[in-house]
Amino acid sequence: MKTLTRLHLAAVLLAGLAAPAAFAQEERAFHYSENGSEIIHHRMNPASSYAPTVGSTAALSSSSKLTNHGGQVITTPSAYVIWYGNWAQSNGTDTAAGQAIVTDFFHAIGGSPYFKINSTYTGSGITGNVTYGGSTSVAYPHGASLSDTVIQTIVSDAITGGHLPNDANGIYFVLTSSDVTASSGFCTQYCGWHSWGTINGSNHRFAFIGNAARCITSCAAQSIGPNGNAGVDGMVSVLAHELEEATTDPDGRTWYARTGYENGDDCAWTFGTSTLGSNGAYSNVTLGSRKFLIQRNVKFSGSSQYCQMQ
């Protein structure tokens, strides 16, 4: 018999009970790819304006608190990037400078006070460190509208083709240029997602994030980025979200709340204290030499949990 996943459990409960808001949220948060693996979505920006949403500093409610369900974590993840589409355009966003924003983020996030929040998850062994393992580029071998299964195929091709290492601790990010979409709902249902599946005979974790310039009001918190590229600056917050979730809940069986939400979901679109820069963009953290606006993460403090930046 197939084990009940969180989505199946929600369906069973909904069939026999009046639907509480938490389970309604859960149905929106997850879906299944064509190959049957569970995909966990980063929801779109609920705000009606570009101003970053601060959000409450109150402790998370009992239904939102993360608990450990006994699955694996990735104690020290390695991040790999697959640049899909055309990242050498003259549109001001799909550029080499835009790629540098992402790689600088990955080089600086490991060991930062922000990512070390994940090491507060009791007994997890998460170090708060991240290794950037490198990148590869592909043009449009699967066109400009990618299904969930094709996205996994892109990851598989990068590994089996020797373009990226076959790394059990790897999280493989498919980052698409703004002329590429994901047919299961990028810009209409979500801004990104993470999942897992069998590649080369073993389990691998991967994520999809599209350039937010394709739908700036839905997948970015502001129309001006702290690094001068609103689309890619918006992607970085989604990257942070998916990186921390794929670290703490890589296979959908570890750290998540009764709502079904993971740590990134609990704090999505809240940024804490932010500073308005001279170019009109807000930022809330400095990583390396760059300023970013990235969402908060769930931090454990005794028996309470809060959305924090460090």
Side-chain angles (χ1 to χ4, degrees), residues 25-107:
Q25 289 176 333
E26 183 178 357
E27 284 199 306
R28 291 197 298 270
F30 310 111
H31 82 275
Y32 284 90
S33 69
E34 292 94 330
N35 64 12
S37 62
E38 190 177 36
I39 286 179
I40 303 176
H41 285 165
H42 181 306
R43 64 187 182 275
M44 295 189 299
N45 188 355
S48 58
S49 67
Y50 283 121
T53 303
V54 174
S56 172
T57 57
L60 296 179
S61 67
S62 59
S63 63
S64 296
K65 281 187 176 181
L66 304 177
T67 56
N68 189 342
H69 294 79
Q72 291 184 322
V73 299
I74 303 177
T75 57
T76 303
S78 299
Y80 299 96
V81 172
I82 302 167
W83 301 102
Y84 186 96
N86 182 0
W87 284 90
Q89 300 187 51
S90 58
N91 57 10
T93 187
D94 303 308
T95 63
Q99 291 175 307
I101 295 170
V102 171
T103 55
D104 287 351
F105 166 79
F106 276 127
H107 279 301

Side-chain angles (χ1 to χ4, degrees), residues 40 42-43 66 72-79 105-106 109-110 112-121 124 126-130 171 173 193-195 205-207 209 235-252 254-256 261-271 284-285 287 293-300 306-310:
I40 303 176
H42 181 306
R43 64 187 182 275
L66 304 177
Q72 291 184 322
V73 299
I74 303 177
T75 57
T76 303
S78 299
F105 166 79
F106 276 127
I109 189 67
S112 66
Y114 174 80
F115 203 72
K116 279 189 173 293
I117 288 174
N118 298 295
S119 67
T120 67
Y121 293 21
S124 67
I126 296 171
T127 65
N129 295 317
V130 178
I171 304 171
F173 293 87
W193 49 257
H194 77 95
S195 191
R205 290 75 176 217
F206 51 93
I209 295 109
M235 289 179 81
V236 170
S237 186
V238 183
L239 279 170
H241 176 122
E242 302 303 343
L243 176 62
E244 60 204 18
E245 289 188 342
T247 298
T248 59
D249 192 32
D251 305 313
T254 316
W255 290 97
Y256 59 89
Y261 276 13
E262 299 169 306
N263 52 5
D265 302 314
D266 270 338
C267 303
W269 303 108
T270 72
F271 302 93
N284 63 353
V285 66
L287 297 171
L293 183 74
I294 56 178
Q295 70 158 80
R296 300 186 295 178
N297 188 17
V298 176
K299 182 175 184 178
F300 285 67
Y306 299 87
C307 289
Q308 300 280 14
M309 284 301 296
Q310 61 181 15

Side-chain angles (χ1 to χ4, degrees), residues 52 222 224 273-284:
Q222 52 189 344
I224 303 171
T273 301
S274 58
T275 301
L276 184 63
S278 59
N279 71 341
Y282 290 90
S283 64
N284 63 353

